[in-house]
Amino acid sequence: MENKSAAVPQAQQAEEIRTRWLWVEPSVWTDRMLTVLENGIEGGKWFRLYDKVFSERNLQAAFQQVAKNDGAPGVDHVTVREFARRSTDSIRTLSDTLKRHTFTPQAIRRVQIPKLGTTETRPLGIPTVRDRVVQASIVNVIEPIFERDFAKHSYGFRPGRGCQDALRRVNELLKAGYVHVIDADLKAYFDTIPHPDLMDRLRTKIADGRVLSLIESFLTAGIMEGLRQWTPERGAPQGAVLSPLLSNVYLDPLDHLMAAAGFEMVRYADDFVILCRTADDASRALELVKQWTTNNGLLLHPTKTKIIDSRTTQFDFLGYTFCGEHRWPREKSTAKVKTTLRPKTRRNSGISLQCIVHNVNQTLRGWFTYFKHSTYPSVFRELDGWIRMRLRSILRRRQGLRGHGRGADHQRWTNAFFAEHGYFSLEDAYRKFRQSSQR
């Protein structure tokens, strides 16, 4: 009876722990491992993890994650769909090569993505599907180990956290009087992470040299850009499955340093702000950040990093512009949604108005869900007007008329007309949202 009664609390404890870690990959993280994770492993380091990386069950789960995200093919031109057709054999082969230590990452295809509103571009690394699967398998194994101790004010690429949580925290701090803001920008962060220092961070919790060597092989995999291939000496390419976790691992000491110094920092990947009550506090916080980044091989952007008084000067964070008690979508966020909507509302579109509206609504609903916390309703009214103008232009063309929708078109095709065709009005949605919030 004593043994039975002792087993019941243990089972309950395991169930409670599993509930707190629902997001982990169950084929890797058993109840026993999760219990050790929560209680703290002896010596603080994890051994014997490599067999979990090459487990076929984990690799299969990793492929499902890669398939869900889809994405472009790498240098081998193999698409996610093509990999899926022979996934059983491919995963068995991957498992065998990892087990025999004959696995070698393929080169990463690098493309330049335009930065909206600027003439600049940012590099995006595209590993092969095969390599993305192995990277996802590694993440399934090591992410919980680091997630356990990540700082609470880090929100990017973390389970159960996201942009809205970070924005909510910024809003809370501004309302609480933390009005002096360090608007920070790490210059080319993902391309400048020092490999030796990053590996040292990983070694603080992982003692399995085979896992560490595999991660390092991905960091030093060749980069194929156009017809040129080169080997990176720094960085964790944006676009790689491992990079978000590694970026958090590298900045985690900064998170804890700022918290220990009493500064309120809100970070989403390499995008962060520090909110202070006084200008003097903000100056001290910025000096601390400058010292840390210099010591850790990173660079704060000299012109984009600044201290502002948010009561009189606006700052941008995660798509929003903040100033005083107000927030609204930044200009680039509005420009980006217009760029997405233009191809869907071309004047020469040959599909029915109802189909066009349906396609437009798909974009608008997601955009509104993110930006509905704006304090300026005019943003939604103006965007509604711009979209209806483009819809009226389509209808004008179909009647043999030229130019944009204007003048009498507003009486010919009223706002109510588009509502009857199912148009998702941002202004109406915002009004309903505010009313429900006030209730």
Side-chain angles (χ1 to χ4, degrees):
M1 288 295 293
E2 287 181 4
N3 290 338
K4 281 189 176 182
S5 62
V8 172
Q10 289 178 357
Q12 290 176 341
Q13 181 189 31
E15 186 176 346
E16 290 171 0
I17 293 173
R18 174 64 64 180
T19 301
R20 289 193 288 272
W21 294 87
L22 284 175
W23 57 270
V24 304
E25 173 50 45
S27 68
V28 174
W29 287 90
T30 63
D31 289 344
R32 179 177 173 276
M33 287 178 65
L34 287 176
T35 300
V36 173
L37 179 66
E38 284 220 344
N39 294 335
I41 193 167
E42 186 177 353
K45 294 186 179 184
W46 289 77
F47 294 80
R48 296 182 61 186
L49 296 173
Y50 191 67
D51 61 312
K52 296 165 181 60
V53 172
F54 66 68
S55 157
E56 288 190 30
R57 287 182 61 198
N58 183 21
L59 288 167
Q60 183 62 53
F63 171 65
Q64 296 303 321
Q65 296 161 20
V66 170
K68 184 178 179 180
N69 293 326
D70 200 6
V75 294
D76 62 357
H77 307 293
V78 175
T79 66
V80 170
R81 184 173 295 182
E82 289 169 342
F83 190 95
R85 285 200 291 266
R86 47 185 174 80
S87 62
T88 301
D89 291 339
S90 297
I91 286 171
R92 185 176 297 115
T93 300
L94 273 181
S95 178
D96 288 342
T97 55
L98 287 166
K99 192 183 301 183
R100 295 197 306 267
H101 303 287
T102 58
F103 175 86
T104 302
Q106 295 171 293
I108 295 173
R109 182 165 69 89
R110 186 168 183 160
V111 296
Q112 297 293 329
I113 305 298
K115 285 187 177 181
L116 194 65
T118 71
T119 58
E120 299 177 4
T121 61
R122 67 177 178 87
L124 179 69
I126 306 174
T128 60
V129 176
R130 155 191 178 271
D131 287 359
R132 297 206 292 267
V133 170
V134 176
Q135 289 190 31
S137 178
I138 296 170
V139 171
N140 286 347
V141 174
I142 72 171
E143 185 175 24
I145 295 170
F146 291 95
E147 177 63 29
R148 175 184 182 271
D149 298 317
F150 278 158
K152 65 179 182 179
H153 58 256
S154 164
Y155 296 92
F157 308 118
R158 294 185 59 190
R161 290 168 167 251
C163 291
Q164 292 290 3
D165 301 301
L167 291 166
R168 193 177 300 114
R169 181 57 180 160
V170 169
N171 193 48
E172 290 171 353
L173 290 168
L174 290 171
K175 287 182 177 179
Y178 291 80
V179 296
H180 297 275
V181 180
I182 300 170
D183 186 4
D185 185 275
L186 288 171
K187 190 173 182 180
Y189 170 62
F190 281 88
D191 283 339
T192 57
I193 300 173
H195 290 169
D197 293 346
L198 174 59
M199 294 306 300
D200 285 344
R201 302 269 202 282
L202 294 171
R203 289 188 189 97
T204 62
K205 294 181 183 295
I206 298 174
D208 191 327
R210 296 166 299 176
V211 173
L212 293 169
S213 295
L214 182 59
I215 294 172
E216 192 166 22
S217 71
F218 280 114
L219 291 174
T220 56
I223 303 292
M224 178 70 74
E225 192 165 11
L227 298 177
R228 185 173 71 98
Q229 182 168 332
W230 49 279
T231 302
E233 296 180 358
R234 302 168 71 89
Q238 279 185 283
V241 178
L242 263 170
S243 295
L245 174 59
L246 297 182
S247 72
N248 278 333
V249 168
Y250 198 72
L251 288 179
D252 187 55
L254 175 62
D255 294 338
H256 289 287
L257 174 66
M258 300 309 291
F263 295 118
E264 293 289 352
M265 176 171 159
V266 181
R267 183 174 69 80
Y268 191 96
D270 60 329
D271 195 1
F272 65 90
V273 289
I274 303 168
L275 298 95
C276 304
R277 291 190 182 275
T278 69
D280 287 343
D281 284 347
S283 295
R284 289 198 301 274
L286 181 55
E287 285 304 312
L288 192 57
V289 173
K290 285 180 177 178
Q291 181 181 353
W292 189 90
T293 52
T294 298
N295 292 341
N296 287 271
L298 303 177
L299 179 65
L300 283 173
H301 200 292
T303 57
K304 294 181 180 180
T305 300
K306 54 190 179 296
I307 298 175
I308 61 104
D309 185 334
S310 65
R311 293 169 295 188
T312 57
T313 306
Q314 64 189 41
F315 70 96
D316 296 331
F317 187 59
L318 298 182
Y320 273 87
T321 295
F322 292 82
C323 190
E325 298 179 354
H326 299 286
R327 59 193 180 277
W328 61 93
R330 63 185 296 197
E331 288 184 11
K332 287 184 179 179
S333 300
T334 305
K336 186 175 181 179
V337 74
K338 286 184 176 181
T339 298
T340 303
L341 289 169
R342 281 191 180 94
K344 297 184 176 186
T345 55
R346 289 193 177 98
R347 273 181 286 176
N348 61 356
S349 174
I351 62 177
S352 70
L353 178 63
Q354 194 164 353
C355 286
I356 294 172
V357 168
H358 173 75
N359 292 337
V360 166
N361 286 349
Q362 287 182 315
T363 298
L364 292 183
R365 291 182 192 278
W367 193 84
F368 176 75
T369 298
Y370 189 79
F371 289 108
K372 64 185 178 183
H373 299 286
S374 170
T375 56
Y376 284 141
S378 60
V379 171
F380 304 107
R381 182 168 58 251
E382 291 168 4
L383 189 52
D384 271 339
W386 180 83
I387 295 167
R388 291 193 187 103
M389 177 273 293
R390 293 186 65 83
L391 295 176
R392 291 184 180 107
S393 299
I394 295 171
L395 297 174
R396 278 178 64 85
R397 182 183 175 92
R398 291 179 180 180
Q399 292 194 356
L401 303 173
R402 295 182 178 181
H404 297 293
R406 61 186 184 275
D409 295 336
H410 290 265
Q411 285 72 50
R412 187 180 296 117
W413 300 296
T414 63
N415 293 356
F417 168 83
F418 293 112
E420 290 170 2
H421 281 75
Y423 174 69
F424 177 78
S425 168
L426 295 167
E427 186 178 15
D428 290 347
Y430 182 73
R431 187 183 304 112
K432 292 175 184 176
F433 171 71
R434 297 293 291 179
Q435 289 172 350
S436 63
S437 299
Q438 289 168 3
R439 284 198 297 267

